[in-house]
Amino acid sequence: MDQHGPAGPSQIDADIALTALTFLGLGLAALHHLLQPLPIGLYGAALALAYLAGGLPPLRGALVALWRDHILDIDLLMVVAALAAAAVGAPVEGAVLLALFSLSGTLEHRAMGRARRAVEALMQLRPETALLKRAEGVVEVAVASLVPGDLVVLRPGARVPVDGRVVEGEGRMDESTVTGEAAPVHKAPGAAVHEACVNLDGVLTVEVTRALADSTVARMIRLVTEAQAAKAPSERFSDWFGQRYTVAVLLGAIAAFFLFWALGRAPSEALYRAATLLVAASPCAVVISVPAAILSALAASARGGVLFKGGAALERLAEVKSFAFDKTGTLTTGRAEVTAVLALAGDEAQVLELLAGIEAQSEHPIAAALRRAVAARGLVPVAVQGVQAHPSEGITGTDATGPLWAGNARMAARMGAGPDPRLAALEASEETLVLLGRGPQLLGAVTVADAPRETSAAALVALRRGGVTRVMMMTGDRRPVALRIGAALGLTPDEIEAGLLPGDKVRLVEALAAEGPVAFVGDGVNDAAALARADVGIAMGAAGSEVALQAADVALMAEDMGQLADAQRLARRAARVIRQNLTFAIGAMVVLVIGGAFFNLPLPLAVVGHEGGTLLVVLNGLRLLGDPIRRS
Ligand code: ADP
Ligand code: MG
């Protein structure tokens, strides 16, 4: 069975048509034998139809594999077995073999096609043109020509052409295409909007934040494409096994033919027995066991908005016993509010304008909070150049006066700005503290408060109930803030690590990994290394940073923590189904081979046993398609 190419809708249609034709031919030929002899011409035509429709596609696949990749695959075995059956006067059995083989191939392609089609449907939702706002008016331009900073106008009912940020207007947005979340989301200035979502009622002006090629939808498409390239370990095993085994079975059948002959059977009977053995020993069911389960599980999770980059991540997630979480933007919403402003030089407005200026392009949730605060107060961000982010510390840049920085105490210490008694009140709060300074001079400080996601606390409970033994929160933020959020989530102080640099997160993940497989869930630039180091890296989908998504193995498009436990349950179920399938397939094969070698197993029984087993295994895998990842 070829698992090489992607299965598009047209291929699936062709699969279904060929399978139907094969069954039609088989049905007519069976009619001839069972009920009513047909004219010999019609009987022959029916058999020819079954053999051509059912045999040519696998024969072509087998020849391509032989020619291009120099491998003998199972398709070849099936065609040879069917021809051998015909040669020994059992053409209908051969047709049954081809028909069932064709059916299991079609089912397999369907499972594969599901996940892909979900994303291809998204691609079709991408608008081609956008309304670009220029000084002289609004013009229609190609979406591909938009660059970050352009302003586009969204009319009610229009699909969003690119990822961007609302700068003017308010209204509701249907984001179900990207997040899977059905309820409309209210958008006001400062809110992010994603390509392919539908603007329901407001007239919005949106600033483009990402070029088309980097948009959320483009990222999802890349994720799913990568998913098909990254095979699970057990999948690779069955590929490897399939090739070696095919050769062995072919040689074994030839050897059996001569052996039966030498033991005194007639040549035609020896051929019949060899053909039976060939069918009995063909490992179709073994080889399809794993992909049938994995692809179904990947498709089911993709439908719920949880994208796995491949079967390998799925198999590892089933094993995970420890979960480590980033705080800001992961366990918390990342939609923080500025709660207090302290000016140590100039006034509060100046402090905010400098902060919003230096954070103008930052992807950090703190930056968004500062920009919103400035917009809400009708202030104007100061122009800042040469901005550089320092993950888990802050950000630096230069305005008209000179170098400028914003960040936490670590950043302040780096700049030579020592502890300052005037900060005592802000430091006493359990909120995130952002300091602003010029070299060693402190200009001001703000506190930013962020709340846990509504789904976080329940998700941690669900994970623990599902057998996760260790849960940790790892943050670059101050410990008092971490303790407040942790307490709200039911975490104990020893499950919380604060004040971390990106490298600290990696070390902590490594320490956890020493005890068993570990998953890390994060969103930020500062989480990328930990995401890559964890056995399973899980990134926040739409709002997560690009690097985090790239480093991760799984993307939570709906950013619903509640889905983690569901995803793990699905991964465990998939692992169980794989074990069931392999046990059953190998067991059935052994029984059939023993029957064929020693007990004169009739060919029709071998065919039914073999193909029936293959079908059962595929259907068992497809059960996972019905296992939903719910949204909380
Ligand atoms: P978390 O690990 O919880 O996601 P981060 O590591 O992203 O948090 O941030 C840790 C701390 O570093 C923040 O609490 C903040 O004080 C500081 N920081 C990081 N990036 C910025 C930024 N762009 N502007 C201001 N402060 C920042
Ligand atoms: Mg974060």
Side-chain angles (χ1 to χ4, degrees):
M1 294 177 200
D2 79 309
Q3 294 133 29
H4 308 299
S10 60
Q11 188 193 337
I12 289 169
D13 291 347
D15 279 354
I16 292 175
L18 283 170
T19 303
L21 285 176
T22 314
F23 270 94
L24 179 65
L26 170 65
L28 284 174
L31 203 66
H32 172 85
H33 286 283
L34 298 178
L35 288 176
Q36 162 87 49
L38 300 174
I40 192 67
L42 185 55
Y43 175 65
L47 279 179
L49 179 63
Y51 273 74
L52 291 178
L56 279 186
L59 181 64
R60 208 198 63 173
L63 292 180
V64 168
L66 192 62
W67 191 258
R68 200 187 48 199
D69 308 326
H70 306 290
I71 53 173
L72 282 173
D73 65 11
I74 303 180
D75 294 24
L76 189 67
L77 280 187
M78 289 298 99
V79 176
V80 171
L83 291 178
V88 297
V92 178
E93 284 82 348
V96 171
L97 188 67
L98 290 175
L100 292 174
F101 186 63
S102 171
L103 179 62
S104 57
T106 300
L107 285 177
E108 179 199 351
H109 279 146
R110 255 183 83 76
M112 265 175 82
R114 286 254 182 139
R116 196 181 172 80
R117 265 176 304 156
V119 172
E120 269 167 1
L122 255 181
M123 276 177 92
Q124 282 164 10
L125 297 177
R126 308 175 88 176
E128 310 229 304
T129 61
L131 297 174
L132 177 65
K133 199 170 183 174
R134 292 230 185 93
E136 63 272 18
V138 173
V139 288
E140 190 165 350
V141 299
V143 175
S145 70
L146 293 174
V147 293
D150 280 350
L151 293 180
V152 294
V153 177
L154 294 185
R155 305 213 168 113
R159 281 202 185 270
V160 181
V162 278
D163 287 359
R165 194 164 47 227
V166 178
V167 291
E168 210 184 300
E170 259 184 60
R172 290 174 317 137
M173 185 81 68
D174 174 354
E175 300 197 315
S176 55
T177 43
V178 171
T179 63
E181 170 60 56
V185 183
H186 186 82
K187 298 285 176 183
V193 296
H194 301 292
E195 183 194 350
C197 297
V198 183
N199 176 27
L200 292 176
D201 43 19
V203 177
L204 307 177
T205 305
V206 167
E207 182 188 342
V208 178
T209 51
R210 271 198 282 248
L212 188 65
D214 307 324
S215 73
T216 311
V217 171
R219 298 197 291 200
M220 288 171 68
I221 290 166
R222 271 202 297 275
L223 275 174
V224 171
T225 326
E226 279 171 39
Q228 291 182 332
K231 292 201 165 173
S234 55
E235 221 172 335
R236 252 179 273 134
F237 166 75
S238 59
D239 280 0
W240 177 90
F241 174 80
Q243 281 161 44
R244 304 285 179 297
Y245 194 79
T246 303
V247 179
V249 170
L250 268 181
L251 295 178
I254 293 170
F257 169 72
F258 285 110
L259 197 65
F260 282 122
W261 194 8
L263 289 176
R265 308 240 184 159
S268 72
E269 209 204 320
L271 188 59
Y272 183 92
R273 296 251 56 85
T276 309
L277 266 182
L278 185 62
V279 172
S282 288
C284 289
V286 178
V287 168
I288 194 95
S289 292
V290 182
I294 290 199
L295 293 170
S296 303
L298 292 184
S301 67
R303 239 181 328 170
V306 179
L307 295 185
F308 282 85
K309 281 197 196 168
L314 186 78
E315 289 199 333
R316 284 198 304 266
L317 184 61
E319 309 285 309
V320 161
K321 285 275 178 285
S322 331
F323 264 85
F325 290 87
D326 165 56
K327 175 180 74 74
T328 320
T330 302
L331 285 174
T332 70
T333 61
R335 269 189 294 281
E337 293 292 331
V338 172
T339 44
V341 186
L342 172 71
L344 300 174
D347 59 18
E348 289 183 7
Q350 281 170 325
V351 167
L352 281 173
E353 287 179 333
L354 282 171
L355 279 170
I358 197 166
E359 303 273 16
Q361 303 299 333
S362 170
E363 90 302 335
H364 202 279
I366 289 178
L370 290 164
R371 287 192 295 261
R372 276 195 302 272
V374 163
R377 288 169 171 78
L379 304 173
V380 185
V382 170
V384 179
Q385 257 83 50
V387 173
Q388 202 182 350
H390 303 266
S392 295
E393 292 187 9
I395 193 162
T396 56
T398 310
D399 71 351
T401 319
L404 200 64
W405 57 266
N408 54 16
R410 202 190 290 268
M411 170 66 83
R414 192 134 85 94
M415 294 296 167
D420 192 310
R422 292 172 294 176
L423 294 175
L426 292 188
E427 277 167 349
S429 78
E430 291 176 335
E431 288 166 3
T432 305
L433 183 59
V434 180
L435 308 170
L436 170 72
R438 220 182 262 293
Q441 192 205 354
L442 269 182
L443 300 180
V446 300
T447 48
V448 177
D450 191 4
R453 286 180 196 274
E454 281 173 22
T455 51
S456 292
L460 298 187
V461 172
L463 281 175
R464 285 190 157 120
R465 207 181 294 136
V468 170
T469 49
R470 197 133 166 63
V471 174
M472 283 196 75
M473 179 166 94
M474 301 180 181
T475 176
D477 206 346
R478 302 188 301 140
R479 188 150 181 95
V481 191
L483 286 175
R484 172 177 63 91
I485 300 283
L489 295 175
L491 291 168
T492 57
D494 63 307
E495 291 174 321
I496 296 169
E497 295 281 349
L500 304 175
L501 290 175
D504 301 329
K505 292 191 180 186
V506 176
R507 266 194 302 99
L508 286 168
V509 167
E510 262 165 11
L512 283 180
E515 297 161 26
V518 46
F520 185 88
V521 194
D523 72 312
V525 177
N526 64 326
D527 301 320
L531 285 167
R533 173 58 191 84
D535 297 287
V536 183
I538 303 172
M540 296 291 112
S545 65
E546 178 72 18
V547 268
L549 262 178
Q550 261 164 22
D553 307 297
V554 184
L556 286 184
M557 298 315 297
E559 318 217 325
D560 178 350
M561 290 291 142
Q563 293 183 322
L564 284 175
D566 268 0
Q568 198 180 26
R569 187 181 39 75
L570 182 62
R572 291 207 187 110
R573 258 196 89 197
R576 240 185 349 260
V577 167
I578 288 173
R579 276 197 302 276
Q580 288 164 1
N581 276 359
L582 283 175
T583 314
F584 171 75
I586 292 174
M589 203 169 75
V590 168
V591 169
L592 288 177
V593 168
I594 292 176
F598 304 112
F599 297 100
N600 284 333
L601 178 76
L603 181 58
L605 263 189
V607 166
V608 169
H610 169 264
E611 289 297 336
T614 308
L615 270 180
L616 280 182
V617 161
V618 169
L619 291 177
N620 194 28
L622 289 179
R623 276 193 311 139
L624 292 168
L625 269 181
D627 193 353
I629 292 199
R630 289 174 303 258
R631 284 177 208 102
S632 37

